[in-house]
Amino acid sequence: MGKRTVMPFGPQHPVLPEPIHLDLVLEDEIVKEAVPSIGFVHRGLEKLVEKKDFMEYVYVAERICGICSFMHGMGYCMAVEQVMGIEVPKRAVFLRTVWAELSRVHSHLLWMGLMADAIGFESLFMHSWRLREYVLDMFDMTTGGRVIFSACKIGGVRRDIDAEKMKRFLDALGKVEDGLHEIAGTFAADHSISHRLTGLGVLTKAEAEDLGALGPVARASGIGFDARTHGYAAYGDLKVNVQTEQSGDCMARASVRIRELYEAIRLIRLCAEIMPDGPTETKVTGNPNGESFARLEQPRGEVLYYVKGGGGKFLERMRCRTPTFANLPALLEMLKGAELADVPVLILTIDPCISCTER
Amino acid sequence: MKGAFVPGCGPDTARAKFMAYLPFLKPVIKSFFKKPATQSYPFAPMPKDDLVRGHVEIDAESCIFCGICARKCPTAAIATDKNEKSWTISRFACIVCSACCEACPKKCLFMKKELTPASEVKTVDVAIKNA
Amino acid sequence: MKVTQEFTDIQQMDLLNKTLDMKNAGYRLAQICASRDTAGCFVLLYTFEKDGCLVSLRFINGGEPIESIGWLYGYAFLYENEMKDLFGMKVINMNMDFGGRFYQTAQPAPFTCGKNEGAEMDG
């Protein structure tokens, strides 16, 4: 056995989008194991629910993370609405689904840029983020904000998209899709990308199940698990094609995310076609009393919201189990046996959202 | 489906390696002839939709200083004083959520699309009713 | 597929048996949630999921050590370490014990402050 050194990776590192600390146990540049340590972005948001009115907490919930922001707000609202027995109008449900799928497009485009940056392919990073700007302009146009929308509220949504705006929205979506063909084609065919990603960080189907992997990490290993098939929000009326791959390496995870991008664009167009007219909110009276779970499919996997109210203005407990938290064991397994230069690629391949992990 | 993503295991012949660089060549050549995708804000105006949440403005003459906006504000950025007839907002505490605009009974709060400019001190804006 | 949620109250001594039943029935561990009730005891919620159905086992813990389920569900160590670091709970026989260094917080067990005590920590 060679001599082992412990190298600290993070929390400050140019390739990491958010701070996470890993102690890498190295033997001559091969990682033998990794020991994680989190808490650098911990804001105690689960404790804050005891001090903020449950209606005001929506603003805090959507600031848990910048990329999955809309789905956090939506998950919190769905859980509280289930506890209070509120029926959200159909049009509001469809609007939430449109924004949720557009959040997925935003997140995967951002991830593609970060992955290209981790490999060193900076111009692909810039082009992916240029496409992302179209998506942010679409959010600006319909909700008023680029990253944090404040569009969801308990009982419905705060904004509506009228017919003229919807037409501009779909035109912008067409521009995103055209630009996407070039970027996705590069990911598929480019030699340097396939050389870096193929065969790296292989996770077999049995390993993914034992480690509790979620989202694209599990789907790339052949587990067709997607919370959208359970029919929450408007997904009961839309048929979602779950994208899976069998090989379980980094290239498979990239291809699952890119195919989900195309699928999300198709779902947005379908939602815009079949969206019914009607009110966008219902009035909320009383306080939540009871407990409930809400499950959504965030871009990174399945998120679970548990909300417990005692009849007062403040909730007793809010628990948010985010997908990156559940994907950490898969990351630790993938890091074993990897070379030091591949560590950033492996960390980015699970699409880490540390703000979500630590709340 | 056009643009269906089918990942391969990487090109092996020299000709295939050359062809593999072609998908990215198109955006590279296009960007030689296009102007930059970035805008030089704040030196150039930023084209924004009217719905955009930039900052909150008040029509002070209609305000009755009931204090509902201060109570609804999630970050306690607004303060009202009935005796002084003043309405104060800490610009850097405001998260531009427009909860105050929706809650105001006199509808005298408006959301404008210009963003608060960067500054070295945390700006506080005060509006006083003249009547 | 139909989505259901159910909550079952159990005793802490039945935890390992019930978890073994869940594992044999094919459920996966979704989350472990700790909270405090009005009497100052901890209320633990172990949630399992299969095919859209969420089954939660709930029990009250007065501060005595809890057996880890890491030997059944390998990834339970994450939730158990988080419980230890944020709530100060005692968990024994863990497959991966970070010794309080998993969550880097300024003070140990920050979530155990009550509703009124927490207000004094501001600033």
Side-chain angles (χ1 to χ4, degrees):
Chain A
M1 192 167 85
K3 184 163 176 288
R4 292 189 169 189
T5 22
V6 177
M7 174 180 283
F9 185 88
Q12 309 297 340
H13 195 276
V15 86
L16 288 175
E18 280 155 355
I20 181 173
H21 181 76
L22 287 169
D23 279 310
L24 301 170
V25 178
L26 293 172
E27 196 179 284
D28 294 339
E29 287 218 19
I30 308 280
V31 177
K32 288 295 169 194
E33 63 180 305
V35 180
S37 174
I38 58 179
F40 299 97
V41 204
H42 180 65
R43 293 152 287 166
L45 296 179
E46 294 187 353
K47 186 105 178 91
L48 193 57
V49 79
E50 294 170 9
K51 289 197 236 149
K52 284 231 171 272
D53 190 342
F54 75 97
M55 297 279 275
E56 271 183 8
Y57 194 80
V58 187
Y59 300 117
V60 180
E62 55 181 14
R63 282 161 174 82
I64 292 180
C65 168
I67 317 171
C68 346
S69 137
F70 184 74
M71 298 218 208
H72 276 299
M74 183 168 149
Y76 173 75
C77 288
M78 276 171 61
V80 175
E81 285 156 5
Q82 275 172 16
V83 169
M84 294 175 76
I86 299 174
E87 181 83 29
V88 181
K90 271 295 219 184
R91 187 172 174 86
V93 166
F94 272 85
L95 281 170
R96 281 180 180 177
T97 312
V98 165
W99 282 320
E101 286 301 313
L102 198 58
S103 288
R104 197 183 310 279
V105 171
H106 169 213
S107 171
H108 286 327
L109 273 174
L110 189 141
W111 174 83
M112 281 162 70
L114 289 179
M115 181 52 104
D117 186 44
I119 298 176
F121 199 156
E122 264 203 50
S123 39
L124 184 59
F125 162 46
M126 299 294 179
H127 279 290
S128 304
W129 279 42
R130 181 179 52 84
L131 277 185
R132 175 184 168 241
E133 286 293 318
Y134 289 136
V135 177
L136 292 177
D137 285 341
M138 285 161 77
F139 278 131
D140 226 5
M141 179 168 68
T142 48
T143 63
R146 280 166 54 106
V147 175
I148 307 283
F149 315 143
S150 297
C152 232
K153 70 177 209 188
I154 299 183
V157 293
R158 294 167 77 193
R159 308 243 181 265
D160 199 356
I161 310 181
D162 56 15
E164 185 259 328
K165 202 169 259 194
M166 186 58 96
K167 188 173 167 317
R168 278 196 293 153
F169 184 85
L170 292 173
D171 288 340
L173 193 65
K175 271 203 293 196
V176 171
E177 195 174 10
D178 289 335
L180 189 57
H181 293 322
E182 296 160 355
I183 307 292
T186 314
F187 257 90
D190 196 271
H191 175 60
S192 39
I193 295 185
S194 63
H195 190 68
R196 275 308 286 270
L197 295 183
T198 318
L200 184 64
V202 177
L203 213 59
T204 59
K205 186 167 177 181
E207 278 176 353
E209 269 176 22
D210 280 338
L211 295 165
L214 296 171
V217 179
R219 290 199 277 278
S221 301
I223 306 175
F225 179 66
D226 190 329
R228 290 176 288 175
T229 52
H230 298 310
Y232 70 90
Y235 294 108
D237 299 325
L238 308 165
K239 185 174 172 311
V240 179
N241 300 326
V242 180
Q243 312 289 338
T244 53
E245 286 275 326
Q246 301 304 320
S247 46
D249 60 359
C250 286
M251 196 70 207
R253 287 185 277 271
S255 93
V256 164
R257 288 189 176 105
I258 294 178
R259 298 219 302 260
E260 281 184 5
L261 253 172
Y262 282 109
E263 178 69 13
I265 294 180
R266 180 190 78 86
L267 284 172
I268 296 174
R269 290 212 168 103
L270 189 55
C271 264
E273 258 178 68
I274 66 177
M275 193 183 305
D277 292 322
T280 52
E281 54 173 333
T282 47
K283 196 142 171 35
V284 174
T285 48
N287 290 328
N289 198 347
E291 55 187 350
S292 180
F293 279 100
R295 297 166 69 198
L296 283 87
E297 182 73 15
Q298 272 188 353
R300 287 158 183 76
E302 177 215 40
V303 69
L304 204 61
Y305 263 87
Y306 168 68
V307 147
K308 177 159 187 227
K313 219 168 38 147
F314 303 109
L315 288 171
E316 282 180 9
R317 182 79 168 103
M318 194 283 290
R319 165 98 168 124
C320 167
R321 198 277 284 137
T322 46
T324 313
F325 194 72
N327 278 336
L328 279 179
L331 171 65
L332 301 178
E333 184 64 29
M334 277 190 245
L335 281 172
K336 290 184 186 159
E339 295 193 19
L340 183 59
D342 285 329
V343 169
V345 177
L346 284 171
I347 294 182
L348 278 179
T349 191
I350 63 160
D351 208 355
C353 183
I354 309 297
S355 315
C356 282
T357 313
E358 302 179 9
R359 294 144 283 139
Chain B
M1 171 171 91
K2 178 178 181 254
F5 179 74
V6 181
C9 51
D12 40 11
T13 66
R15 181 176 181 277
K17 279 195 175 99
F18 173 72
M19 296 294 282
Y21 288 115
L22 286 187
F24 199 55
L25 221 46
K26 190 164 159 225
V28 167
I29 292 181
K30 269 206 279 191
S31 42
F32 272 124
F33 300 107
K34 277 202 216 164
K35 62 181 175 53
T38 50
Q39 293 159 346
S40 45
Y41 175 83
F43 306 110
M46 201 158 53
K48 283 283 191 194
D49 222 72
D50 283 335
L51 192 62
V52 170
R53 300 190 310 266
H55 69 279
V56 180
E57 265 182 18
I58 184 171
D59 174 19
E61 303 310 316
S62 325
C63 179
I64 56 171
F65 306 102
C66 57
I68 291 183
C69 55
R71 281 198 289 277
K72 284 283 178 194
C73 178
T75 50
I78 298 182
T80 54
D81 193 334
K82 211 161 192 154
N83 300 332
E84 309 267 320
K85 288 205 186 329
S86 73
W87 179 88
T88 316
I89 185 169
S90 322
R91 289 279 173 218
F92 278 73
C94 173
I95 56 171
V96 281
C97 62
S98 74
C100 54
C101 305
E102 290 176 6
C104 178
K106 289 288 173 190
K107 296 285 172 244
C108 60
L109 284 167
F110 307 100
M111 184 60 78
K112 299 288 177 200
K113 63 181 179 182
E114 290 77 35
L115 299 167
T116 307
S119 113
E120 286 161 26
V121 291
K122 293 192 176 177
T123 44
V124 175
D125 285 341
V126 185
I128 312 246
K129 184 168 175 173
N130 292 325
Chain C
M1 56 186 89
K2 186 91 176 59
V3 176
T4 56
Q5 306 177 13
E6 41 179 272
F7 294 87
T8 322
D9 286 307
I10 61 169
Q11 300 294 320
Q12 182 176 329
M13 61 183 101
D14 296 331
L15 174 68
L16 286 182
N17 290 337
K18 292 259 186 302
T19 312
L20 189 59
D21 294 339
M22 288 287 162
K23 173 99 187 181
N24 291 336
Y27 282 80
R28 66 175 180 96
L29 177 68
Q31 59 124 27
I32 304 179
C33 170
S35 49
R36 304 200 69 188
D37 67 4
T38 42
C41 296
F42 296 108
V43 180
L44 281 128
L45 199 72
Y46 281 63
T47 310
F48 300 90
E49 188 268 340
K50 181 177 156 184
D51 292 339
C53 303
L54 285 168
V55 174
S56 302
L57 305 175
R58 178 181 19 222
F59 63 92
I60 311 239
N61 174 280
E64 55 268 12
I66 308 172
E67 282 272 345
S68 162
I69 58 170
W71 56 283
L72 282 172
Y73 291 101
Y75 48 96
F77 75 89
L78 278 177
Y79 305 105
E80 290 169 348
N81 275 297
E82 188 198 8
M83 260 185 347
K84 276 180 61 170
D85 289 347
L86 290 179
F87 285 89
M89 312 207 64
K90 298 185 205 45
V91 185
I92 51 176
N93 297 334
M94 289 171 66
N95 56 337
M96 226 198 264
D97 190 349
F98 284 71
R101 301 282 305 162
F102 183 54
Y103 242 101
Q104 313 254 20
T105 49
Q107 59 171 75
F111 278 27
T112 49
C113 307
K115 290 186 190 161
N116 300 321
E117 293 162 40
E120 290 150 30
M121 304 287 174
D122 290 340

